[in-house]
Amino acid sequence: MTELLIYSALSLGGVAAGFAVVLYIISQRFKVEEDPRIGEVTELLPGINCGACGYPGCSGLAEALVDAADEGDISHLTCPPGGADTMKQVGRYFGLEVGSKHKTLAVLRCGGSFAAAPAKNEYQGPETCAIAHSLYVGVNGCPHSCLRLADCEVACPFDAIEMNDETGLPEVIPELCTSCGACVKACPRDLFEIRPRGKGKAERRVWINCRNKQPGGIARKNCSVACIGCGKCVRVCNEIVQAISMEDNLAYIDPYKCISCGKCVPVCPTKAILATFTPPKPKEPKKETADTQA
Amino acid sequence: MAVVKTFPMGGVHPPENKFTADSAIQILDPPDEVAILLGQHIGAPAEAVVQKGDTVKVGTLIGEGKAFISANVHSSVSGTVKRVDEALDAAGFRKPAVVISVEGDEWEERIDRSPELVTEINTPAEEIVQRIKAAGIVGMGGAAFPTNVKYMVPEGKQVDTLVINGVECEPYLTADHRLMLEHTDEVLIGVEVLRRALQVERAVIGIELNKSDAIEIMSKHAERFPHIEVYGLKVQYPQGAEKQLIKAILDREVPGGKLPLDVGCVVNNVGTALAAYHEIQKNRPLIDRVVTVTGSSLSKRGNFQVRIGTPFSHAIEAAGGMPGDVAKVIAGGPMMGKAVPDLNVSVTKGTSGILLLNKREAQREETVACIRCSKCVSACPIGLEPYLLEKLARMEYWEQSDEHDVLDCIECGSCSYICPSNRPLLDYIKLGKVKVHEMRRASAG
């Protein structure tokens, strides 16, 4: 009995030792040197692997950062959810300048609420925008409208999008949004845009709350707050900074040119321009336009 | 007709509800205004060749299909072109269209409007194909694929049989049934025209057994045509799907991703054969079609010969007006048709039916969990696994969807019909098809 135990222990031990030697040799022979900085930089990043930076996860960005640091310039790389704070730490780690990227967030560009764009038909299919969009124009007849089925809410990894039961539209919660871009990808109608948060502590920003490229009359038929391409905002803005352009009956405010003066907001006849602050003057007071949608 | 032919795998048998099988085709007068879409077919839309203010007659070319896969579009009415811009398509999107206000009913001189039958076929094969293209003839079964493209057999492919689809397996629809009963000879001459265009020795016509009168009359009249055979087929949905029909009649299997051409066949609908007869024998391009306007509560439901571009509302008016309990209006049949979001959408070359469902019929039952009964697998005529494809689509696993042959789905809807848990199987499978196509296009270039 004891003999059996000894032989077993010896033979198994021998086999184990043999494998250990082989494994050791192989591990030495085929050793992969990983830059220890990659691990350390990964630690500095948020670790949520959202992919908003354009690299596969945080370690992917860390690798790119290390490569870029070796070439002496990391200013083109950024971590949208981490924002300036994270990048400052990364910059300090490498002792390099980081890009002065604007802090951004996702902005919904549609005002097709239950009230503004009432339903003309009933949708009974699966509750997802992707399917509704591939089937037909949508409940309110506007081919560029929000389908109100919450694919963005489901896609947001930070719970920063909530459907508003009263309007039917999604709302971005600025405090939680990291501008990772998941909603931009999820929306089949391309209604989200990553835009700078805007001037000052109050985050003053102005945007066209519509994506409808149809001629004004048709757009207006389906939605009372559609951009009708009248060009009034363009004319007002042209006197100041030329931040608004008009293409296919749809105005667009370039956020990097816009100075958030808000003068375009009251001139819009359909209230299709939204701002996060109360725009200046006009003759009659504006209530809805000051609605802080985002 | 000793043995009842059918396809071997899958299929369902929904209630037939062919209320209008006995109502003769009525000619519907043109409405005051038609909106003729320039893209009624699969492929590139036609380009408008008329302008605002132009006078057109019935049969005047108004849109030219310039791409390889495209089709011409003709005016279905006489009158003045009101505008050339956009009109609603069946999905509610605005698409290029020619809107014509109707004045009188004047036809192009070349069109032979006499009821006489022209039996002699004097047109050579190549010219037939060219004229089918010129006449804007597309698949009348519903898919609206340009017919002439099917007849341009690529080098190296051998075609020996023309298959004519008179199955009409969709519940409710009776348009093809009535065509075969009332225009038997025209349809048969049309088949003969198509057979000559294809230069084959054999043409077979498949008809489901629930249309025994059509089988009888077609078989009797087909005796005069030595190359045409008529087959009765078992009542089983989707008997009229191209691949299932070929399998049932000829026992040839079209592999996934291949066309009927690859097994030596071309498949056309009886409606297409009639359109070919009209163009080749009567110089009459495709300007109207038979549409079944039906529904359980419609008072004067029936089969109507409708000008292309007629709004749905006009056809429904003719069938007794919109009943109060209607909840859904479907273009096509209940299995593959699509609900329309607006009653102003126009009848197109592919509109085989206008189906009005009431609240109870239209209601989608609540979706519950999959119980793994595998009824969808048994029902799939292609041999796919719908429950799996739905799951893959929900999880956005497009590569795996592709591996499980989502693109082979013919969208017949048998899986969604049979599912005891009311799962939206086909909805997700369709989404999967769109996404897999996008993925393939992206990786191709």
Side-chain angles (χ1 to χ4, degrees):
Chain A
M1 187 65 197
T2 350
E3 241 172 43
L4 188 67
L5 275 177
I6 291 167
Y7 284 132
S8 306
L10 279 179
S11 57
L12 284 174
V15 170
F19 275 122
V21 171
V22 171
L23 283 172
Y24 178 75
I25 292 169
I26 291 174
S27 72
Q28 287 302 309
R29 246 344 253 274
F30 299 98
K31 197 168 181 176
V32 180
E33 290 284 350
E34 203 208 46
D35 197 321
R37 290 177 297 169
I38 294 176
E40 287 167 34
V41 176
T42 310
E43 290 289 302
L44 295 175
L45 298 172
I48 42 174
N49 299 318
C50 66
C53 52
Y55 292 93
C58 294
S59 61
L61 176 63
E63 221 176 304
L65 279 165
V66 168
D67 286 349
D70 288 341
E71 283 167 23
D73 180 24
I74 58 165
S75 60
H76 58 288
L77 295 168
T78 178
C79 170
D85 296 341
T86 301
M87 288 314 288
K88 224 182 268 168
Q89 285 183 35
V90 172
R92 214 176 295 136
Y93 177 84
F94 288 116
L96 289 167
E97 280 288 303
V98 289
S100 59
K101 260 259 185 168
H102 296 261
K103 202 140 192 262
T104 53
L105 88 169
V107 174
L108 175 74
R109 296 174 292 174
C110 176
S113 61
F114 293 133
K120 295 193 169 71
N121 58 70
E122 197 185 324
Y123 173 73
Q124 285 190 343
E127 299 276 311
T128 143
C129 309
I131 287 180
H133 173 69
S134 68
L135 278 177
Y136 83 128
V137 70
V139 284
N140 56 26
C142 170
H144 302 277
S145 161
C146 172
L147 292 155
R148 308 168 184 161
L149 294 169
D151 276 13
C152 49
E153 187 185 44
V154 175
C156 180
F158 302 100
D159 293 336
I161 297 183
E162 242 172 38
M163 298 305 288
N164 182 326
D165 292 340
E166 268 161 49
T167 60
L169 296 174
E171 282 179 5
V172 178
I173 303 164
E175 295 78 44
L176 296 177
C177 177
T178 64
S179 65
C180 70
C183 51
V184 178
K185 266 184 235 155
C187 181
R189 295 203 159 163
D190 193 22
L191 296 179
F192 284 97
E193 187 190 12
I194 303 295
R195 289 174 74 93
R197 282 182 177 249
K199 302 261 179 300
K201 267 244 154 62
E203 301 192 345
R204 288 164 68 92
R205 55 182 179 271
V206 186
W207 69 98
I208 307 285
N209 197 33
C210 183
R211 289 283 286 159
N212 192 310
K213 292 172 185 152
Q214 294 174 314
I218 294 163
R220 197 63 203 276
K221 226 182 242 175
N222 294 320
C223 178
S224 65
V225 295
C227 171
I228 53 170
C230 65
K232 281 187 180 163
C233 53
V234 179
R235 281 194 290 281
V236 168
C237 193
N238 273 350
E239 289 168 15
I240 314 163
V241 283
Q242 295 93 41
I244 308 183
S245 55
M246 179 73 68
E247 204 180 316
D248 299 334
N249 310 304
L250 178 64
Y252 176 77
I253 302 179
D254 184 339
Y256 298 100
K257 286 185 190 159
C258 174
I259 55 164
S260 300
C261 68
K263 289 202 173 128
C264 53
V265 179
V267 299
C268 179
T270 59
K271 298 176 182 171
I273 307 180
L274 289 191
T276 52
F277 53 94
T278 316
K281 54 127 209 182
K283 276 124 222 161
E284 72 269 86
K286 297 278 162 190
K287 281 165 257 142
E288 272 183 60
T289 42
D291 183 11
T292 43
Q293 243 272 325
Chain B
M1 254 187 41
V3 190
V4 178
K5 290 177 177 262
T6 187
F7 59 96
M9 180 165 44
V12 292
H13 187 178
E16 290 166 33
N17 291 332
K18 306 243 184 200
F19 306 131
T20 50
D22 296 326
S23 30
I25 298 169
Q26 304 163 52
I27 292 173
L28 183 65
D29 288 331
D32 297 336
E33 187 180 293
V34 293
I36 303 174
L37 289 166
L38 289 166
Q40 304 187 16
H41 43 266
I42 291 180
E47 288 168 35
V49 293
V50 287
Q51 283 165 354
K52 185 180 169 177
D54 286 0
T55 310
V56 292
K57 294 178 184 172
V58 178
T60 308
L61 183 73
I62 55 172
E64 203 179 335
K66 291 198 171 129
F68 177 65
I69 299 182
S70 187
N72 287 351
V73 178
H74 298 79
S75 175
S76 60
V77 292
S78 66
T80 314
V81 176
K82 202 169 161 192
R83 47 177 212 273
V84 180
D85 61 349
E86 291 174 328
L88 291 181
D89 73 355
F93 292 104
R94 297 182 68 85
K95 291 287 162 65
V98 177
V99 180
I100 303 167
S101 47
V102 181
E103 292 145 20
D105 196 25
E106 209 178 314
W107 291 52
E108 288 278 353
E109 285 82 33
R110 67 190 155 90
I111 299 173
D112 173 8
R113 295 184 67 191
S114 68
E116 274 144 60
L117 203 63
V118 186
T119 37
E120 200 76 23
I121 303 167
N122 296 319
T123 319
E126 266 167 43
E127 201 188 318
I128 294 177
V129 178
Q130 277 162 19
R131 283 180 59 191
I132 284 174
K133 181 175 168 63
I137 297 176
V138 301
M140 305 285 278
F145 186 82
T147 301
N148 66 296
V149 179
K150 290 188 185 177
Y151 284 75
M152 292 188 230
V153 181
E155 203 91 13
K157 298 246 162 92
Q158 287 288 326
V159 175
D160 55 21
T161 313
L162 170 67
V163 180
I164 297 293
N165 190 343
V167 175
E168 202 162 52
C169 57
E170 274 272 3
Y172 291 93
L173 303 188
T174 55
D176 291 349
H177 185 184
R178 293 310 305 181
L179 271 188
M180 290 187 284
L181 287 180
E182 294 174 41
H183 299 282
T184 317
D185 291 319
E186 284 105 316
V187 169
L188 286 167
I189 296 166
V191 174
E192 192 64 16
V193 166
L194 293 176
R195 187 188 67 77
R196 290 192 189 193
L198 203 57
Q199 297 168 339
V200 293
E201 290 304 309
R202 187 177 180 212
V204 295
I205 304 176
I207 306 170
E208 251 184 4
L209 284 173
N210 56 4
K211 291 175 270 290
S212 51
D213 47 353
I215 298 174
E216 198 177 320
I217 190 166
M218 289 285 280
S219 310
K220 197 158 154 251
H221 287 229
E223 280 166 14
R224 294 203 304 273
F225 300 88
H227 299 286
I228 300 178
E229 301 153 37
V230 178
Y231 289 94
L233 304 173
K234 188 181 163 192
V235 184
Q236 188 179 16
Y237 181 87
Q239 193 72 262
E242 200 167 69
K243 292 181 177 182
Q244 278 59 40
L245 184 62
I246 294 170
K247 179 72 186 167
I249 301 182
L250 302 174
D251 197 22
R252 296 181 194 171
E253 196 160 312
V254 185
K258 299 279 183 182
L259 295 170
L261 268 181
D262 295 296
V263 294
C265 317
V266 166
V267 183
N268 277 129
N269 187 266
V270 286
T272 315
L274 182 66
Y277 166 81
H278 280 147
E279 166 61 21
I280 306 300
Q281 307 295 78
K282 297 277 201 180
N283 288 323
R284 180 174 178 274
L286 183 52
I287 51 117
D288 59 7
R289 68 157 297 137
V290 178
V291 180
T292 303
V293 186
T294 184
S296 51
S297 43
L298 202 54
S299 61
K300 287 193 273 177
R301 58 198 175 204
N303 302 292
F304 295 88
Q305 191 168 328
V306 182
R307 305 283 176 97
I308 305 293
T310 303
F312 273 30
S313 49
H314 184 74
I316 293 170
E317 215 48 59
M322 183 66 98
D325 62 348
V326 168
K328 206 180 256 184
V329 177
I330 292 175
M335 297 297 284
M336 290 188 71
K338 273 178 115 177
V340 295
D342 194 307
L343 285 181
N344 286 322
V345 304
S346 318
V347 168
T348 63
K349 295 172 182 177
T351 310
S352 47
I354 298 173
L355 171 60
L356 279 61
L357 295 182
N358 64 31
K359 271 218 171 66
R360 192 182 47 76
E361 293 163 332
Q363 190 59 45
R364 278 180 87 137
E365 301 294 325
E366 197 199 340
T367 303
V368 293
C370 172
I371 56 169
R372 309 243 145 194
C373 63
S374 81
K375 276 193 173 171
C376 56
V377 181
S378 314
C380 180
I382 303 290
L384 302 176
E385 296 165 284
Y387 76 94
L388 179 64
L389 293 172
E390 185 217 357
K391 194 162 201 175
L392 291 173
R394 275 181 191 268
M395 298 170 81
E396 305 184 8
Y397 284 2
W398 309 126
E399 271 168 36
Q400 285 90 328
S401 297
D402 198 4
E403 282 163 22
H404 284 90
D405 300 315
V406 70
L407 294 185
D408 287 348
C409 170
I410 58 168
E411 304 183 13
C412 68
S414 297
C415 52
S416 294
Y417 172 78
I418 207 83
C419 180
S421 291
N422 307 309
R423 297 196 66 77
L425 296 164
L426 183 56
D427 302 79
Y428 276 93
I429 292 172
K430 277 184 181 169
L431 179 68
K433 288 179 77 174
V434 172
K435 294 290 179 183
V436 169
H437 273 303
E438 272 173 21
M439 187 182 78
R440 284 194 173 186
R441 258 199 304 276
S443 63

